[in-house]
Amino acid sequence: FPAARRRRTQDVVRAIREQGSWWRAGGPMLARVVAAAVLALAAVVASASAAAAGDATYPVRWEVGYMTVAPLGVSQKVIAINNQFPGPLLNVTTNWNVRVNVQNNLDEPLLLTWDGIQMRMNSWQDGVAGTNCPIPPGWNWTYQFQLKDQIGSFFYFPSLGLQRAAGGYGPVTVNNRAIVPVPFNQPDGDITLFIGDWYTKSHTELRDMLDDGKDLGIPDGILINAKGPCRYDTTLVPEGLQYEIVGVEPGKTYCFRVHNVGTSTSLNFRIQNHNMRLVEAEGTYTYQQNYTNLDIHVGQSYSFLVSMDQNASTDYYIVASPRFVSSEARWHDVNGVAILQYSNSKGSASGPLPDAPDDFYDKYYSMNQARSIRMNVSSGAARPNPQGSFRYGSINITQTFVLKNESPLRIDGKRRRTINRVSYSPPETPLRLADLHNLTGVYKTDFPTMPSNAPPRRASSVLNASYKGFLEMVFQNNETDVQTYHLDGYSFFVVGMDYGEWTPNSRGSYNKWDAISRSTTQVFPGGWTAVLVSLDNVGIWNIRAEKLDNWYNGQEVYVKVADPLGYNVTEMIAPDNTLYCGLLEHLQKPQIHETSKKSSGHAVARWSTQLLATVSLIVTAVIGS
């Protein structure tokens, strides 16, 4: 033992010696063993307690339930977390371990997914139907994952059955470690804004509409941080609506983290009379440039630096307005409007809203804006080495998937969405669990990697990808509205986009140096978007349309990235608290429901006390013998 531990051992031995007559019968060696065991166990306890209390672990408990609000003046039931809508912030740092104990107080099953969090080698925590059985009503489950090598602005949301259309979403901010410099000065404040279209119908009513083959139609409004618009137009906005007010100080610079968490509408975001300097997109620091407005599509996240450099003669409008929608007049009445308010403001905002892009005759306006978002190749991110040090443009492509969506198709009498004419049908048993337990027939790896004119079908069909391969994915959008696609488990390089049909010759236009790396990308109407991704994350990962109505109607697929060396080589093992359903339901044990709302740090403390008490009893028993 080191000297300090040896002295503590001697103290314990002395105490034991004073208590037991057995010492005189030849117990010194046993006493030393017992003392060493006590100290070793105490060290383990102290280490566990430190891990729970220290910066490396972030434990939270969330109660997910309903609450009644009226963001657009109509009372409705929304999904809240700890009675908050939007939900609480996860403010964490690269490589921290996160433990989120989720109590499901809804009247239906629940899963939370973590948009953009890569769950390295750990698809067990991804929170989608292909990898997890849902948390039944009244049950709780603990997500446990590490934010390995990530920074940036992300969000979580409920992934089942259109639940996000009722709320349940919240922010995830992953900060740099102190050893990695940020490529801009520390902002004076951090502001999160959730923008999104909103319906006054419940998510169950919206589900029924889709099940009946109907469109959801024009939303009832656009919310900013779960609040309706300020009364910028007395003929359009009723009195009494709560709206978001962002308070700021003159001369300061703030980081605005903006997420489109809506159901299906692309939005243009702008702040009246203020430039927005883009600095980060879904985990990648960007080449810094100013925008007066930016199109943010469903599921996308951006971080801007905004300087308070105006004279504050009035408040200023913060606007989220619909983009790429029909010419129906009612769309013009649907705007999300919040207020930017300087502390020395001299009056309320008034007058017309700042103009949206006037690009009716310039279909490349938004596309060129998207192409301008590029990676800052000289900056570090989660690691000190520059983001541009991974020279993706020089890596040979090993697989190509061309994934084509088209207008809704009739399959078995139902109106469905498809990719390559396959409408995904989720099996009752999650795909990854089926593999783990060697179940056959749950799904097939026969998803077509290229479009065809085959008859449309519903299927539990999966894409098979090669571990450590370099995958090219092309999203081909043959519809008249913007599509948004997300890939769990990865970030991809958005190397190209254009109108028309993609061909192999399109590779000549790829950005092979500083393409933005992100997890969600738009695909313009009648166009294509190409991404490249290094398949270094074992698991089964969801590729989905972020538009909730399309996702619900089958516009998704899973990609299987298996390690040929087998299970538990590179992939993390299935957690002890795995939930079972479908063909594996018989493995599910009854749950003893937690009632304590204390963090796992308190749980470790209780466990520590119980363990030390047990050790004391053992020592007492030995002495007494």
Side-chain angles (χ1 to χ4, degrees):
F1 292 100
R5 186 176 297 178
R6 185 166 58 249
R7 285 195 298 272
R8 291 197 298 271
T9 304
Q10 291 169 348
D11 292 339
V12 174
V13 170
R14 189 178 302 110
I16 294 174
R17 180 178 184 178
E18 292 171 355
Q19 294 295 322
S21 59
W22 59 274
W23 173 270
R24 290 183 293 275
M29 181 57 69
L30 180 58
R32 287 187 174 88
V33 171
V34 171
V38 170
L39 288 169
L41 285 168
V44 171
V45 170
S47 175
S49 299
D55 287 345
T57 303
Y58 190 90
V60 294
R61 179 177 169 86
W62 288 351
E63 301 267 350
V64 182
Y66 296 115
M67 66 183 294
T68 300
V69 297
L72 296 176
V74 178
S75 291
Q76 60 186 125
K77 194 164 61 172
V78 302
I79 296 175
I81 298 178
N82 294 350
N83 290 317
Q84 299 177 47
F85 171 53
L89 167 67
L90 280 181
N91 189 23
V92 288
T93 297
T94 302
N95 294 342
W96 279 18
N97 296 292
V98 176
R99 289 173 45 88
V100 183
N101 181 263
V102 176
Q103 173 68 37
N104 179 12
N105 293 332
L106 304 177
D107 54 4
E108 57 186 13
L110 171 72
L111 282 174
L112 291 179
T113 193
W114 316 84
D115 228 46
I117 302 300
Q118 293 177 9
M119 303 295 174
R120 299 292 301 172
M121 312 298 178
N122 193 13
S123 62
W124 309 107
Q125 308 292 328
D126 199 30
V128 288
T131 51
N132 295 92
C133 291
I135 307 168
W139 285 45
N140 65 54
W141 197 74
T142 300
Y143 292 89
Q144 301 180 73
F145 54 90
Q146 186 184 25
L147 297 159
K148 181 67 175 172
D149 289 340
Q150 285 196 264
I151 58 93
S153 305
F154 310 99
F155 64 95
Y156 58 84
F157 68 93
S159 64
L160 300 178
L162 244 66
Q163 287 175 344
R164 192 176 83 203
Y169 50 77
V172 181
T173 298
V174 186
N175 304 288
N176 285 66
R177 295 175 292 162
I179 62 170
V180 182
V182 176
F184 46 84
N185 292 331
Q186 181 69 29
D188 298 297
D190 207 276
I191 296 164
T192 296
L193 294 178
F194 286 106
I195 59 177
D197 57 3
W198 188 258
Y199 294 85
T200 55
K201 289 185 173 67
S202 69
H203 68 288
T204 56
E205 291 175 300
L206 297 177
R207 278 202 308 246
D208 291 342
M209 291 175 65
L210 294 176
D211 290 340
D212 291 340
K214 300 175 182 176
D215 285 324
L216 298 184
I218 297 176
D220 297 294
I222 293 169
L223 305 188
I224 298 182
N225 281 358
K227 296 175 183 177
C230 73
R231 205 167 188 219
Y232 68 94
D233 187 325
T234 57
T235 64
L236 296 177
V237 182
E239 287 187 87
L241 295 187
Q242 283 195 339
Y243 55 90
E244 184 75 351
I245 299 176
V246 178
V248 294
E249 294 294 327
K252 302 291 188 181
T253 296
Y254 295 83
C255 180
F256 282 71
R257 303 177 189 269
V258 187
H259 313 268
N260 186 338
V261 293
T263 298
S264 60
T265 306
S266 297
L267 299 173
N268 182 266
F269 180 78
R270 53 201 185 274
I271 302 175
Q272 187 178 29
N273 291 5
H274 288 74
N275 285 321
M276 307 182 299
R277 179 154 51 105
L278 182 65
V279 294
E280 182 262 336
E282 296 167 20
T284 297
Y285 287 125
T286 63
Y287 171 76
Q288 295 181 24
Q289 54 189 320
N290 286 326
Y291 294 86
T292 57
N293 68 83
L294 188 70
D295 289 339
I296 304 179
H297 304 276
V298 179
Q300 291 188 329
S301 300
Y302 291 101
S303 296
F304 306 94
L305 294 183
V306 183
S307 295
M308 302 303 127
D309 54 8
Q310 298 300 299
N311 61 15
S313 57
T314 66
D315 296 339
Y316 300 93
Y317 291 124
I318 300 172
V319 182
S321 60
R323 292 279 279 155
F324 302 97
V325 295
S326 70
S327 58
E328 190 171 341
R330 198 156 66 87
W331 274 111
H332 300 295
D333 302 339
V334 179
N335 289 295
V337 186
I339 292 296
L340 181 72
Q341 187 173 79
Y342 284 55
S343 62
N344 62 340
S345 174
K346 300 176 182 64
S348 300
S350 61
L353 299 179
D355 290 335
D358 182 12
D359 60 346
F360 183 80
Y361 298 104
D362 181 8
K363 70 177 184 178
Y364 276 95
Y365 176 90
S366 186
M367 183 178 287
N368 285 335
Q369 191 184 63
R371 289 169 171 170
S372 73
I373 299 171
R374 294 175 288 132
M375 175 172 57
N376 183 339
V377 295
S378 62
S379 166
R383 295 184 178 186
N385 52 299
Q387 293 179 129
S389 60
F390 183 74
R391 301 187 183 279
Y392 68 89
S394 62
I395 302 174
N396 291 328
I397 294 169
T398 59
Q399 273 183 294
T400 297
F401 298 156
V402 179
L403 306 178
K404 177 181 176 180
N405 62 268
E406 51 191 311
S407 298
L409 298 170
R410 285 269 168 194
I411 303 175
D412 300 329
K414 294 287 187 180
R415 190 170 179 263
R416 300 287 295 177
R417 294 280 179 168
T418 61
I419 299 175
N420 289 357
R421 301 181 77 81
V422 177
S423 185
Y424 185 75
S425 180
E428 292 186 358
T429 308
L431 312 174
R432 187 64 196 89
L433 280 178
D435 278 355
L436 180 65
H437 292 270
N438 299 312
L439 300 180
T440 58
V442 172
Y443 69 94
K444 295 180 179 179
T445 54
D446 63 349
F447 195 93
T449 60
M450 294 287 170
S452 73
N453 291 319
R457 60 190 173 98
R458 290 185 69 168
S460 304
S461 182
V462 173
L463 284 162
N464 222 351
S466 301
Y467 177 51
K468 293 191 176 179
F470 197 62
L471 174 66
E472 175 187 44
M473 281 195 298
V474 180
F475 299 105
Q476 181 74 53
N477 179 13
N478 279 34
E479 294 191 62
T480 58
D481 59 349
V482 173
Q483 299 292 313
T484 314
Y485 282 100
H486 177 87
L487 172 62
D488 282 350
Y490 291 94
S491 287
F492 44 61
F493 297 95
V494 185
V495 292
M497 58 179 66
D498 207 342
Y499 290 103
E501 291 282 330
W502 180 89
T503 70
N505 290 334
S506 303
R507 292 173 179 143
S509 66
Y510 284 4
N511 177 350
K512 296 185 177 182
W513 169 237
D514 60 357
I516 191 67
S517 177
R518 63 188 311 168
S519 57
T520 308
T521 188
Q522 67 271 56
V523 193
F524 289 94
W528 57 267
T529 296
V531 304
L532 300 177
V533 56
S534 178
L535 297 174
D536 59 354
N537 195 11
V538 171
I540 291 183
W541 304 104
N542 188 223
I543 302 172
R544 60 176 175 268
E546 280 280 31
K547 290 188 170 187
L548 296 185
D549 47 351
N550 292 1
W551 183 12
Y552 181 80
N553 275 332
Q555 195 173 323
E556 66 171 323
V557 65
Y558 284 82
V559 57
K560 180 177 180 178
V561 184
D563 187 344
L565 297 178
Y567 172 64
N568 195 19
V569 178
T570 55
E571 184 183 20
M572 296 180 69
I573 63 173
D576 293 338
N577 63 344
T578 297
L579 294 174
Y580 294 97
C581 54
L583 298 175
L584 298 170
E585 189 175 13
H586 63 283
L587 298 177
Q588 182 61 53
K589 298 177 181 178
Q591 183 177 104
I592 300 174
H593 300 297
E594 293 186 12
T595 56
S596 171
K597 296 185 180 180
K598 296 179 180 179
S599 73
S600 62
H602 293 292
V604 169
R606 290 195 302 272
W607 173 78
S608 306
T609 303
Q610 292 166 359
L611 179 59
L612 287 175
T614 302
V615 171
S616 298
L617 289 172
I618 293 171
V619 173
T620 302
V622 171
I623 293 173
S625 65

